[in-house]
Structures are given as structure tokens and as C-alpha cells.
Amino acid sequence: MTAASTTTRCYNLGPLRQVPPGEGRVFRVGRSSVAVFRARDGKAYATQALCPHRAGPLADGIIGAGKVVCPLHGEKFDLVTGQSLGNRCPPLEIYPALVDDGGDIIVSLPNHQR
Amino acid sequence: MQNKRRLVVIGNGMAGGRLVEEVLARGGGGLFEIVVFGDDPDGNYNRILLSGVLAGTNQPQDILINAPTWYAEKGVKLHSGVRVGWIDRLARKIYAPGEIVEPYDTLVIATGSTPIVPSIKGLYGDLGSFREGIHVFRTLGDCEGIIRCAANGRRAAVIGGGLQGLEAACGLMSRGLEVHVVHLTSHLMETQVDPTAGAMLQRALEQRGVQIHLEKATATVLGDDRVSGLAFEDGSTLGCDLVVIAAGTRPSVDLAKQAGLTVQRGIVVHDDLSCRNDPDICAIGDCAEHRGRTFGLVGPAWEQARVLADRLTGANPQATYRESKVSTRLKVMGVDLTLIGDSDSCREGDEVVTYIEPSRGVYVKLIVREGLLAGATLLGDGLLSPRLLQIFRRGQPVPQSRAELLFPVTEDAGSPNLADLPADAHVCNCNGVSKGAIMEAVKAGHRTLKGLCEATRAGTGCGSCKPQVKALLELASEGTLADDPTVQYYVPGVPMTKRKLVMAVKEKELRSVSAVLEALGGGTDDPDSKAALASLLRTVWGEEYEDERDARHINDRVHANIQKDGTFSVVPRIYGGVATPTQLRRIADVAERYQVPMVKITGGQRIALLGIPKEELPAVWRDLGMPSGHAYTKAFRTCKTCVGADFCRYGLGDSLTLGVKIERRLQGIESPHKMKLACSGCPRNCAEATTKDVGAVAVEGGKWEVFVGGSAGSRVRKGDILCVAQSHDEVLNYVRRFIQYYRENAKYQERTYDFVERIGIQELRRLLVEDAEGICDGLDAEITAIADVYADPWQEADAPVHPNQFAGVLAGVE
């Protein structure tokens, strides 16, 4: 949060049901992509789309207990803090996500993400 | 929290400290209010490494196992530096100085052992303690006293030429002192090695400058206020300014004796480790006597700690302690002595194998009893010891040619020359992890294989270096290996072995991964457990399995193998590697139509189309019109064949027809790991069937040899012959039966070659060929039922389980 000009924008990505329970999908937001996960308990999470290790598609990973495991080499990350777990990867970019009353996914991205 | 039972442990050493760890590891923190008494003010440290502290290779802080803060964090009350006064068994209370009273429901005595001090004149000063310059060698305090004294000393005498005395002697040598070992009998370590080994050990030590005096009984320590030497019973003397007494130890049983517990040499315990006359009191470690034996070794103490923790926490209420397979090692100043099990033949029919190479100081003696290794003495050749230890501990049969034990003819997985590797040598070639990085991680506290692999990433690629990582862990931790019960678990998120898990799943009728995690995994949706549970439930429930796609790896969600760039490979099934021109034409058409970046003939005699985006998978499959080759999942993959009898002029059997039959019958059957099969039509073995998970090779007389557990991947292993079959159908039967047994009993991601080694080919023959347990009919019926309901997963092209099953990037916001 050093750049005072950084602003956050919220995006409605549409209905949560686009993502099967317990899985993730990639959504395009402007020119960038975001991995969105739908946990079995109904919570939504959003992170950068590619794994910092070797650019694996995180949305294809197995999730659970607030973590995601990259499908390529098993790198594991905390979906809330973005910290890598048990490996030396840099952390993930995490974007606040929620499901609104209408069942739509709302993701907040820093403006530069566009 | 008032209902917690009170568990009091007297002793915070190798046994007591470990017990607390083991109890906590089994969830004992929720069951017990734990109180620990430790009279050693230095707390819980690794006594094995004291010789390293003495030698200066370890710092005292390095050998600490659990600091006082650890106890506080775990909610364990520690009375450090407090010596228990007495046990009131009637009131079930422990009394200690400082008005400490601790009631107990269960009491564990782990008071260890005390140095034996021979009756020698001149040992004690006016205050009744040792005079300046005289030490025993048991605790960190003793060790620090010796080091202080050695700083100003010139000549040291060690009384006792046993393991500990020699360790002390070498420690003092490396501190620059002139060292003399004074020993009572006619050869060193006489209770553990024979005279020949004793003499060779003596020579090795003498070459390194240790002076050894045999058959010397010390009568008096000379000197007025300062120690000036020893006088022996034969009238001779030896000048010295430091005396270390290392004349053995005896179990510390005074407290138990006062409490009226049955004590012989040690505190007498049953197989359940409870005291003979008080079931609420248990004893473990050096102070316990089990079936007439006491130990002064860490191995049995830790085994007892495990058993007792199993019992106390209810993790396994039936656990009992049997005899330990003991081994010990003296490794000082380049002298390497390993002692395993019995030191000499002691039963009728024992076979003694010796090998002596005087110039190198190598002496090896093996005791073989009923085809098993009952004991070994290894001096000067440390390279052999890991392998022999493994054979001994696992009770593996000794090769018919005993010499193979000494001069292994096959490459050994845990290559023992790891110790000689330079620090920058790569151990894990997948992740580029060096030996140095692994050793450092162990030093930094990663003392379980799992923790070490996670921390360094070693072994997390193809996994073939895991034995080496494990060996390095053992090497670097020098006996401080933490016991990690989780390695026995089928998945990290459910604390059960596969067998227990299957029982619980059946009993509670848990048919989905989420149901299992909810009921048995504490409700935690553990991502590291899901795929393995899905695999297991599929095997247990078959058609009744409740599929949850999120529990699968992406490969199994979209039936294709993910590539490094996030695209997928498509490998259609080509039965037995025999293709028709139409199929080839269709594959070529698809490759062109979808601009497939690479078309590759695979090692499994099929054709792979690589670089296909996820969203194109359904269309590619549809256009191919061929079934899935399952080249992306833990399942039956292929059955490779040679041309066989039809065209080949050497062919003895029709391997091609057999291969196709096998492939048609077993296609898509899921298993703990992938299975690659092959059939060869003659012993020239062009299909390489002997290095496949399962293979069949035609031999003269219309017969087939059935091999299991072969591998030519990250490891090379020739399969073992399960049986010789008389016909195609018989081969198919044995193949199916073996695969079903593997499905039911292997750990997740355990390849057949590890599985076959773990179970043993003899046992597999007994179970699957002789049907000694009557399980064959059941196995045959199970696998038939599974094979009968086989459905091609690529049919999901037209019936996706979710509208976005194969979705690529979803349009969110433009």
C-alpha cells in the first residue's frame, strides 16, 4: 500500500453456479485473468491466475480448508493470505471476493489489474 | 476440561521426553493433564549426542530436543531440575521438594539409569562428592565438567573400555589430551564384541593415538587435593590429571523400590509396560525390565514410548511391547563399529559368517539363524551397515549365497555411500536439491521425512530419491529422528491407516470424500487428502461411490493429462498397440483439424496428441471416435505387446492376442498408482514385460511366466515371477487377481514395485496362487464387477457433469 494512487474496483463476475462446488475457474476481467474458487462451504476466493512457481493454472487445482494446490507441481497456498505453504514460492496475489445476495461473485481488484 | 485424566511422567530424558511427544502426537493433549518431572536442570536433550559435545562437534544447545517453552506451548507442566521425593501409591500422589504435590491417574516412571561407580579408593572428597578432576559421563552437566577440566588437563584416564568409555576417550583426544583407557577384562567392549573384533578395534584406536591398558583393575586414585594418577591392583601406576569413570550404568530404580513396586534389575513390567503389581504405574526406558531384560539403548526406549502412547491415548489400546531389534553404533575419529542384534551364535544351528581384511581394519561377522539375520558386528566398513540394519529390522530373508550380504550384487536403493557425497551434489534431480541443502534442513529442525521433503522439495518430483533423502535424514539426525505417526496414515487429513480407514468407511457407510472428511477427518476439507480418498472410495464402493469432482486432480476432472503450459494431451486407446489404417487416418485428420502442436508415438505403443486446450477436448474426442487410453490417471494404462506368434519367427506364444484381451478386460480400472503392462511372445522379451508392473512372457510348452512388480522408470527393477500359467485365460486370471489385491492393499501412489517388495513375492504367491487365506474368489469377483461396469470417460464429451466442466477462461467483465 505504498502507492497512494492505488484504488480498488469491484467487479460482478456473474452467478457463482458457473463454478462447480469445490472447484475453481478462470475469469477474464478486462485484460487480465483471475482465478476464482468456490469452496464447498459456499465461500468464494480469488487469486492471481497463474502459479508463481512455473505458471501452473491454479484454477485447475484442488482446494480445501482455505488452501489451493497447484495441479502442476503441488505447490500449496493459503487462499486467505496468499502465503505459500511448505514451499519457497513467493506469495499469491489475493483479491477480496464474496458472493452477494443474488448469488453473484463480486471480486475487488486493485485498479492496475485492469 | 475438568474431566481430563492426570498423566504424570517422572523423567524428562530420552524415554520420558519422547513419551510426552508421542502422547501429544496422538491427541493426548485433549485427554490428559500432563505433568513432567525432570531432575536434570538442562532439560530434555539428546543424550546420544553427548559424545559429540565432548568432542566439540556439537554445541550443548544443538542437542536440546524440547526447550521449556515447548512444554508451555503444549500445555504440559514441567518441573525442571526437580528430583521427585517419593510416590504415594495409596493416595496416588507424587511428592517433591518445594512442597510440590502432583496427583496422578496414570504414572509413568522413566528415570533412566545411573552410572556405576566401582569401589576405588580416593574418589571422594570431604563433602562426599567426587574430588576435583574426577567425573562420570552421563549428563550434559558431567560433560561440561569434563570439558572444563580438560581445558587445563594434559593426560586423561578413562576407566572402562565399553562403548561410552571409548566415546569419552575419543572426545578427549579431540580436545588435545593424551588419553589412556583402562579396562578390566582382556578385550575392549567384551560384552558386545568377540576377542577378534575387540583386538581390531583396539588397533584402530591405538593407531589414532588412544593408549589402551587391558586387564587393569583400578585400586586408588592418587593425589592429595588434585588428582595425580591411578594405582592399579597389580601394583603399577599411571599418571593423569583427569579421570573419567565409564564403567557402565544400572537402572535407576530407587524411587520405584521405595514405592514398593516389583524391582529386579529394573522395574518389572508386563508386555503392556505396566508394573507387575500396580496397573496404574508404567515404566519405560533404561529403568524398565521386560521379560528379564533391561536395555541401555534408545531404540527400545522409543519403541516403548510409542507402545505406551498408543495404549494411553487409545490410539491402539491393544498395543504391546515385544522384544526390540536392537542395534548400536560407535562412530568416533573415523572408527566405525556397528553392532546389530546378537553378537555371537547362541543357538544350535546358528550360522556364523565372517570376513576379515586386516589391512583396512575391516571385520564383519554375521549371525544367520533360520535364514534370517540374527546379529552382525561390523567394524571399519560403515557402508554395509544401513543395508544389514534394514535386513535385520524388517526380518528380510538372507540370500542363499551369504556372500551377497557382504558384497551386494544388486544396486541398492538407499546407496550408503551418500555419506561420501560432496555437499553440492544433487540428490533430488527433479527439483535440483543438493545434499547440503537437505542436511541443513535437518539441522534446522525438519526431522521427519515428510517435513524434510516439504521444506526442501526433495523427493516431491518423481519421488525416486526418497530413499536417499531418508538415508540423509538418518545420517544428519544421528538418532534424533522424530517419530511421525502420520506417515502411517493413508491420507494426512484422516489419522488412520488404510486398513482402519477402509473398515471405518464401510462401517459408517461413507460414500463420498466430503462424508469421509466430515466424519473421520474432523470436518476439515483437507486438499491433500481428497484425491487419495476418492481413489480409495472408488475401490471400496465401486458403483455405489458418490462422485465429487472437486476431489479429483484436474487430469481426472477432464480425462486428459495437464501439460506444463496448462494445455492437455490426448492419448486414445490402441489395444495392444495394434492400429488400423482407419484409426491412423482419423488421428491424422484430428491432428490437422485442431492444429495439434505435436503428434508423438509413446512408449506404451500408442499415439499422443499434445498441446490441446481444455475447451477443445470434447470435440477432439468426438472426432477421434476412439476410447480413452487413460494416459492421465492412476489406473490401468496399456498392455504393450510384441508381434508374437503370428508373424515373428521366434514367437512361442500369441502375446498379441493376450495383450489385447488383457487391455480390453482391464481398461480404465483405477488403482493406487498407474499400471503399465506388457506381454512378450518369447523369452527374448521384446515387449519388456519383465520390467512392467505386470507382465507375461511366453515360454516353451505353451506356458506363460507372469511377472509382477517390475519397473523401468525412475527405478529399475526386474519383476518377480508370481506363477507360471498354462493358458491365456489363466494369465488373465492371475493378472486380474494381483491387480485387485494391489488395489485393495497398496498405499496411495505406491507403485507395484514398491508394493511387491513390501508384501514380498512369497506372501503374494501364498495369497494369490496357493489361495492360503481363501481370498481369491472374493478378489476375482470384485474385479469382475468393476470391469463389467467399465464406461469410457470420454463419453462425457456429450454429457458433461457440469456445463463448465471443460470451460477455459470464463468471460467475467470486459
Side-chain angles (χ1 to χ4, degrees), chain B residues 725-743:
Chain B
Q726 309 293 331
S727 65
H728 279 182
D729 284 347
E730 219 180 298
V731 173
L732 190 58
N733 253 347
Y734 285 117
V735 169
R736 285 162 16 106
R737 197 178 285 165
F738 169 77
I739 286 177
Q740 182 60 21
Y741 187 73
Y742 167 65
R743 296 179 77 221

Side-chain angles (χ1 to χ4, degrees), chain A residues 18 26 28 60 63 76 86, chain B residues 454 528 530 614 804 810:
Chain A
Q18 296 170 88
V26 182
R28 185 170 329 280
D60 283 344
I63 63 163
K76 196 171 10 173
Chain B
E454 274 176 14
D528 295 324
K530 290 170 133 185
K614 198 201 284 176
N804 282 338
L810 297 174

Side-chain angles (χ1 to χ4, degrees), chain B residues 511 534-547 670 740 743 782 785-787 789:
Chain B
R511 291 186 168 81
S535 160
L536 176 132
L537 293 175
R538 187 98 184 173
T539 304
V540 170
W541 293 114
E543 280 297 279
E544 290 173 65
Y545 165 62
E546 281 170 29
D547 187 15
E670 287 164 348
Q740 182 60 21
R743 296 179 77 221
E782 278 296 325
I786 292 293
V789 297

Side-chain angles (χ1 to χ4, degrees), chain B residues 261-336:
Chain B
L261 296 169
T262 309
V263 174
Q264 286 167 10
R265 186 171 151 73
I267 304 166
V268 180
V269 294
H270 297 291
D271 286 353
D272 67 1
L273 299 169
S274 70
C275 292
R276 181 181 281 178
N277 56 341
D278 192 334
D280 295 327
I281 304 183
C282 302
I284 57 171
D286 289 3
C287 68
E289 175 177 328
H290 176 255
R291 298 193 184 186
R293 280 187 82 179
T294 55
F295 301 94
L297 295 169
V298 70
W302 284 355
E303 226 169 298
Q304 290 168 353
R306 262 196 299 272
V307 168
L308 189 55
D310 271 345
R311 294 190 69 92
L312 292 178
T313 59
N316 178 6
Q318 261 72 53
T320 53
Y321 174 73
R322 304 284 171 184
E323 63 179 332
S324 288
K325 298 203 154 187
V326 296
S327 65
T328 183
R329 188 167 196 196
L330 173 72
K331 199 165 183 239
V332 284
M333 299 198 313
V335 176
D336 193 340

Side-chain angles (χ1 to χ4, degrees), chain B residues 12 85 91 97 120 303 403-404 503 506 550 581 595 663 683 721 801:
Chain B
N12 189 27
I120 297 171
E303 226 169 298
E404 278 181 35
M503 271 159 51
K506 285 185 179 161
D550 63 308
Q595 294 174 4
E663 190 153 349
I721 294 192
V801 292

